[in-house]
Amino acid sequence: MTLIPKKARMLGIFIVILLLSCNTVYAKPAQKNRQYYEERGEIVWEVPTQDKIIALTFDDGPDPVQTPEILALLQQYEAKATFFVLGKWAEKFPQLVMQEQQEGHEVANHTYAHTYAVRSTGADTYIRDMDDAEKSILGAGVARPMLFRPPGGYYNDMVIQAAKQKGYTIVLWSWHQDTRDWASPGVTTIANKVLKNVRNGDIVLFHDKVEGKSQTVQALARILPQLKQEGYRFVTVSELLAVKAKEAAKNGVSSSKVHP
Protein backbone atom coordinates (compact mmCIF):
# COMPACT_ATOMS: atom_id res chain seq x y z
CA MET A 1 0.00 0.00 0.00
CA THR A 2 2.84 2.36 0.70
CA LEU A 3 4.14 1.94 -2.86
CA ILE A 4 1.12 3.59 -4.46
CA PRO A 5 1.66 7.12 -3.06
CA LYS A 6 5.33 6.87 -3.94
CA LYS A 7 4.52 5.88 -7.50
CA ALA A 8 2.00 8.70 -7.70
CA ARG A 9 4.57 11.20 -6.51
CA MET A 10 7.12 9.92 -9.01
CA LEU A 11 4.55 10.15 -11.79
CA GLY A 12 3.69 13.69 -10.76
CA ILE A 13 7.34 14.72 -10.80
CA PHE A 14 7.79 13.11 -14.23
CA ILE A 15 4.80 15.01 -15.63
CA VAL A 16 6.10 18.33 -14.29
CA ILE A 17 9.54 17.72 -15.81
CA LEU A 18 7.93 16.74 -19.12
CA LEU A 19 5.82 19.89 -19.22
CA LEU A 20 8.79 22.09 -18.42
CA SER A 21 10.81 20.37 -21.14
CA CYS A 22 8.03 20.86 -23.67
CA ASN A 23 7.77 24.55 -22.83
CA THR A 24 11.50 24.95 -23.30
CA VAL A 25 11.65 23.02 -26.54
CA TYR A 26 8.60 24.55 -28.15
CA ALA A 27 8.80 28.09 -26.79
CA LYS A 28 8.58 30.39 -29.79
CA PRO A 29 11.28 33.05 -30.18
CA ALA A 30 10.18 36.66 -30.62
CA GLN A 31 8.92 37.06 -34.16
CA LYS A 32 10.86 39.98 -35.60
CA ASN A 33 8.18 41.36 -37.86
CA ARG A 34 6.83 44.85 -38.42
CA GLN A 35 4.88 44.83 -35.16
CA TYR A 36 8.02 43.86 -33.24
CA TYR A 37 10.06 46.77 -34.61
CA GLU A 38 7.22 49.29 -34.41
CA GLU A 39 6.49 48.48 -30.79
CA ARG A 40 10.17 48.89 -29.94
CA GLY A 41 10.23 52.24 -31.76
CA GLU A 42 13.05 51.08 -34.04
CA ILE A 43 11.43 51.58 -37.45
CA VAL A 44 8.72 53.97 -38.68
CA TRP A 45 6.43 52.95 -41.53
CA GLU A 46 3.70 55.54 -41.02
CA VAL A 47 2.35 57.72 -38.27
CA PRO A 48 -1.46 57.47 -37.97
CA THR A 49 -2.87 60.74 -36.69
CA GLN A 50 -6.13 62.62 -36.35
CA ASP A 51 -4.79 65.40 -38.58
CA LYS A 52 -5.10 65.35 -42.36
CA ILE A 53 -1.38 65.39 -42.98
CA ILE A 54 0.92 63.16 -45.00
CA ALA A 55 4.65 63.05 -45.62
CA LEU A 56 5.94 62.90 -49.18
CA THR A 57 9.41 61.39 -49.43
CA PHE A 58 11.86 61.25 -52.33
CA ASP A 59 14.77 58.82 -52.62
CA ASP A 60 18.02 58.55 -54.60
CA GLY A 61 18.59 62.20 -55.56
CA PRO A 62 19.41 64.88 -56.01
CA ASP A 63 19.14 64.89 -59.80
CA PRO A 64 19.98 68.05 -61.80
CA VAL A 65 16.79 67.81 -63.87
CA GLN A 66 14.16 65.95 -61.84
CA THR A 67 14.84 67.44 -58.41
CA PRO A 68 14.39 71.11 -59.47
CA GLU A 69 11.12 70.21 -61.21
CA ILE A 70 9.84 68.50 -58.08
CA LEU A 71 10.95 71.40 -55.88
CA ALA A 72 9.07 73.84 -58.11
CA LEU A 73 5.87 71.81 -57.83
CA LEU A 74 6.19 71.49 -54.07
CA GLN A 75 6.63 75.23 -53.78
CA GLN A 76 3.62 75.87 -56.01
CA TYR A 77 1.37 73.85 -53.68
CA GLU A 78 3.02 74.92 -50.41
CA ALA A 79 4.08 71.35 -49.77
CA LYS A 80 7.01 70.26 -47.62
CA ALA A 81 8.79 66.95 -48.19
CA THR A 82 11.68 64.81 -47.00
CA PHE A 83 14.52 64.00 -49.39
CA PHE A 84 16.52 60.85 -48.63
CA VAL A 85 19.63 61.75 -50.57
CA LEU A 86 22.53 59.64 -51.74
CA GLY A 87 25.89 60.95 -50.62
CA LYS A 88 27.48 60.56 -54.05
CA TRP A 89 24.89 62.88 -55.59
CA ALA A 90 24.92 65.31 -52.67
CA GLU A 91 28.65 65.56 -53.29
CA LYS A 92 28.10 66.29 -56.98
CA PHE A 93 25.10 68.62 -56.64
CA PRO A 94 25.47 70.31 -53.25
CA GLN A 95 23.53 73.37 -54.39
CA LEU A 96 20.40 71.23 -54.81
CA VAL A 97 20.74 69.77 -51.32
CA MET A 98 21.07 73.31 -49.99
CA GLN A 99 18.03 74.39 -51.98
CA GLU A 100 15.98 71.58 -50.46
CA GLN A 101 16.76 72.82 -46.97
CA GLN A 102 16.36 76.49 -47.82
CA GLU A 103 12.86 75.86 -49.16
CA GLY A 104 11.79 74.20 -45.92
CA HIS A 105 12.22 70.57 -46.83
CA GLU A 106 14.00 67.93 -44.78
CA VAL A 107 17.25 66.32 -45.92
CA ALA A 108 17.87 62.75 -44.76
CA ASN A 109 20.49 60.00 -45.23
CA HIS A 110 20.09 57.20 -47.81
CA THR A 111 23.72 55.93 -47.73
CA TYR A 112 26.49 57.15 -50.00
CA ALA A 113 26.24 54.66 -52.85
CA HIS A 114 22.82 53.01 -52.40
CA THR A 115 24.27 50.09 -50.44
CA TYR A 116 21.86 47.23 -49.78
CA ALA A 117 21.90 45.50 -46.40
CA VAL A 118 22.21 41.91 -47.60
CA ARG A 119 23.72 39.00 -45.68
CA SER A 120 27.15 39.63 -47.13
CA THR A 121 27.15 43.33 -46.13
CA GLY A 122 29.39 43.84 -43.13
CA ALA A 123 28.56 46.32 -40.40
CA ASP A 124 31.81 48.24 -40.95
CA THR A 125 31.06 48.67 -44.65
CA TYR A 126 27.50 49.78 -44.01
CA ILE A 127 28.37 52.26 -41.28
CA ARG A 128 31.15 53.70 -43.44
CA ASP A 129 28.62 54.25 -46.25
CA MET A 130 26.28 55.98 -43.81
CA ASP A 131 29.15 58.14 -42.58
CA ASP A 132 30.27 59.07 -46.09
CA ALA A 133 26.73 60.13 -46.97
CA GLU A 134 26.51 62.23 -43.82
CA LYS A 135 29.80 63.95 -44.65
CA SER A 136 28.54 64.77 -48.15
CA ILE A 137 25.31 66.20 -46.76
CA LEU A 138 27.16 68.30 -44.20
CA GLY A 139 29.57 69.34 -46.95
CA ALA A 140 26.61 70.80 -48.84
CA GLY A 141 26.11 73.17 -45.93
CA VAL A 142 22.91 71.72 -44.48
CA ALA A 143 22.07 70.46 -41.00
CA ARG A 144 23.08 66.98 -39.90
CA PRO A 145 20.34 64.54 -40.93
CA MET A 146 18.42 62.75 -38.20
CA LEU A 147 16.54 60.28 -40.38
CA PHE A 148 17.87 57.29 -42.29
CA ARG A 149 16.25 55.13 -44.94
CA PRO A 150 18.00 51.90 -45.93
CA PRO A 151 18.11 51.49 -49.73
CA GLY A 152 15.43 49.19 -51.06
CA GLY A 153 13.88 49.07 -47.61
CA TYR A 154 16.33 46.28 -46.72
CA TYR A 155 16.96 46.11 -43.00
CA ASN A 156 18.14 43.66 -40.39
CA ASP A 157 19.51 43.81 -36.86
CA MET A 158 22.83 45.12 -38.18
CA VAL A 159 21.10 48.09 -39.86
CA ILE A 160 19.07 48.83 -36.74
CA GLN A 161 22.14 48.76 -34.51
CA ALA A 162 24.11 50.91 -36.98
CA ALA A 163 21.32 53.51 -37.04
CA LYS A 164 21.14 53.54 -33.24
CA GLN A 165 24.89 53.94 -33.03
CA LYS A 166 24.70 56.96 -35.36
CA GLY A 167 21.63 58.45 -33.66
CA TYR A 168 19.35 57.98 -36.66
CA THR A 169 15.66 57.15 -36.81
CA ILE A 170 14.93 54.55 -39.50
CA VAL A 171 12.04 55.59 -41.74
CA LEU A 172 10.48 53.35 -44.37
CA TRP A 173 7.07 54.04 -45.96
CA SER A 174 3.42 53.06 -45.80
CA TRP A 175 3.01 49.72 -47.55
CA HIS A 176 -0.02 51.02 -49.42
CA GLN A 177 1.93 54.07 -50.62
CA ASP A 178 4.82 52.53 -52.54
CA THR A 179 4.30 54.25 -55.90
CA ARG A 180 7.01 52.21 -57.68
CA ASP A 181 7.64 55.30 -59.76
CA TRP A 182 11.19 54.04 -60.38
CA ALA A 183 9.69 51.39 -62.67
CA SER A 184 7.76 53.98 -64.76
CA PRO A 185 4.39 52.18 -64.43
CA GLY A 186 2.51 55.13 -65.93
CA VAL A 187 1.52 58.56 -64.65
CA THR A 188 -2.06 57.50 -63.92
CA THR A 189 -0.91 54.39 -62.04
CA ILE A 190 1.41 56.43 -59.82
CA ALA A 191 -1.22 59.10 -59.15
CA ASN A 192 -3.97 56.58 -58.41
CA LYS A 193 -1.75 54.64 -56.03
CA VAL A 194 -1.56 57.71 -53.81
CA LEU A 195 -4.99 59.24 -54.35
CA LYS A 196 -7.01 56.03 -53.91
CA ASN A 197 -5.15 54.85 -50.81
CA VAL A 198 -4.44 58.04 -48.89
CA ARG A 199 -4.82 57.99 -45.11
CA ASN A 200 -3.88 60.45 -42.40
CA GLY A 201 -0.23 60.04 -41.42
CA ASP A 202 0.89 58.24 -44.56
CA ILE A 203 4.53 58.25 -45.61
CA VAL A 204 4.59 58.14 -49.41
CA LEU A 205 7.53 56.78 -51.39
CA PHE A 206 8.69 58.58 -54.54
CA HIS A 207 12.06 59.00 -56.24
CA ASP A 208 13.57 62.25 -57.45
CA LYS A 209 16.11 60.39 -59.54
CA VAL A 210 14.72 57.81 -61.93
CA GLU A 211 16.79 56.32 -64.72
CA GLY A 212 15.38 57.26 -68.11
CA LYS A 213 12.30 59.47 -68.32
CA SER A 214 10.67 60.05 -64.96
CA GLN A 215 6.88 60.06 -64.59
CA THR A 216 7.00 61.34 -61.03
CA VAL A 217 6.70 65.03 -61.83
CA GLN A 218 3.61 64.54 -63.97
CA ALA A 219 2.03 62.34 -61.32
CA LEU A 220 2.75 64.91 -58.62
CA ALA A 221 1.06 67.54 -60.77
CA ARG A 222 -2.14 65.50 -60.34
CA ILE A 223 -1.63 64.40 -56.75
CA LEU A 224 -0.77 67.70 -55.08
CA PRO A 225 -3.79 69.80 -56.17
CA GLN A 226 -6.23 66.93 -55.56
CA LEU A 227 -5.05 66.20 -52.03
CA LYS A 228 -4.80 69.88 -51.20
CA GLN A 229 -8.41 70.29 -52.31
CA GLU A 230 -9.33 67.40 -50.01
CA GLY A 231 -7.80 69.28 -47.09
CA TYR A 232 -4.48 67.47 -46.74
CA ARG A 233 -1.28 69.22 -45.70
CA PHE A 234 2.13 67.99 -46.78
CA VAL A 235 4.72 67.93 -44.00
CA THR A 236 8.20 66.55 -43.43
CA VAL A 237 8.62 63.21 -41.71
CA SER A 238 9.99 64.91 -38.60
CA GLU A 239 6.97 67.22 -38.49
CA LEU A 240 4.72 64.17 -38.81
CA LEU A 241 6.49 62.49 -35.91
CA ALA A 242 6.23 65.66 -33.82
CA VAL A 243 2.47 65.91 -34.37
CA LYS A 244 1.99 62.32 -33.30
CA ALA A 245 4.19 62.85 -30.24
CA LYS A 246 1.96 65.75 -29.19
CA GLU A 247 -1.15 63.62 -29.61
CA ALA A 248 0.45 60.84 -27.57
CA ALA A 249 1.42 63.25 -24.79
CA LYS A 250 -2.12 64.57 -24.70
CA ASN A 251 -3.41 61.02 -24.34
CA GLY A 252 -0.81 60.06 -21.76
CA VAL A 253 1.06 57.63 -24.05
CA SER A 254 4.83 57.21 -23.74
CA SER A 255 6.67 59.07 -26.52
CA SER A 256 8.87 56.00 -27.05
CA LYS A 257 5.87 54.35 -28.64
CA VAL A 258 5.75 57.14 -31.19
CA HIS A 259 9.30 58.22 -31.82
CA PRO A 260 12.46 56.22 -31.33
Side-chain angles (χ1 to χ4, degrees), residues 27-81:
K28 292 183 179 179
Q31 190 176 2
K32 292 188 175 182
N33 53 17
R34 172 171 171 169
Q35 182 181 358
Y36 173 85
Y37 290 112
E38 279 185 320
E39 287 180 351
R40 290 165 62 91
E42 292 178 330
I43 302 178
V44 176
W45 276 268
E46 59 206 4
V47 186
T49 172
Q50 298 300 314
D51 293 351
K52 294 191 75 170
I53 54 177
I54 62 173
L56 307 180
T57 66
F58 298 88
D59 288 8
D60 296 355
D63 179 86
V65 175
Q66 297 167 38
T67 303
E69 292 177 340
I70 288 170
L71 287 171
L73 265 177
L74 294 174
Q75 190 170 50
Q76 180 181 347
Y77 291 100
E78 301 175 302
K80 302 305 177 192

Side-chain angles (χ1 to χ4, degrees), residues 65-123:
V65 175
Q66 297 167 38
T67 303
E69 292 177 340
I70 288 170
L71 287 171
L73 265 177
L74 294 174
Q75 190 170 50
Q76 180 181 347
Y77 291 100
E78 301 175 302
K80 302 305 177 192
T82 299
F83 289 85
F84 288 89
V85 308
L86 289 179
K88 64 179 182 178
W89 300 130
E91 210 167 73
K92 192 169 184 179
F93 306 109
Q95 72 282 1
L96 288 175
V97 179
M98 174 61 79
Q99 183 181 350
E100 288 167 356
Q101 179 174 278
Q102 288 177 334
E103 295 184 4
H105 306 295
E106 183 169 27
V107 177
N109 191 328
H110 196 45
T111 74
Y112 183 88
H114 210 261
T115 301
Y116 286 136
V118 294
R119 288 186 179 181
S120 59
T121 308

Side-chain angles (χ1 to χ4, degrees), residues 6 10 26 34 59 62 69 71 86 89 104 110 114 132 140 156 165 194-195 217 238 252:
K6 184 176 180 181
M10 292 300 294
Y26 295 106
R34 172 171 171 169
D59 288 8
E69 292 177 340
L71 287 171
L86 289 179
W89 300 130
H110 196 45
H114 210 261
D132 288 345
N156 52 33
Q165 181 178 323
V194 178
L195 294 173
V217 174
S238 286

Side-chain angles (χ1 to χ4, degrees), residues 122-216:
D124 290 344
T125 299
Y126 203 79
I127 291 173
R128 183 165 58 249
D129 215 41
M130 293 171 72
D131 284 340
D132 288 345
E134 184 177 305
K135 289 173 186 174
S136 297
I137 292 168
L138 291 173
V142 305
R144 180 191 181 277
M146 300 304 294
L147 306 180
F148 174 73
R149 174 173 285 166
Y154 289 100
Y155 66 87
N156 52 33
D157 286 340
M158 179 272 289
V159 173
I160 291 168
Q161 291 307 313
K164 284 183 178 180
Q165 181 178 323
K166 299 298 299 177
Y168 282 113
T169 296
I170 297 177
V171 176
L172 294 182
W173 54 85
S174 303
W175 285 346
H176 57 281
Q177 290 291 10
D178 181 356
T179 64
R180 294 181 59 83
D181 58 341
W182 56 270
S184 300
V187 173
T188 299
T189 299
I190 296 170
N192 285 345
K193 183 69 174 179
V194 178
L195 294 173
K196 291 185 176 181
N197 296 291
V198 65
R199 305 172 193 165
N200 295 357
D202 277 352
I203 297 177
V204 187
L205 175 62
F206 294 106
H207 294 77
D208 63 321
K209 185 174 182 63
V210 176
E211 295 301 325
K213 184 172 176 57
S214 171
Q215 299 169 339
T216 306

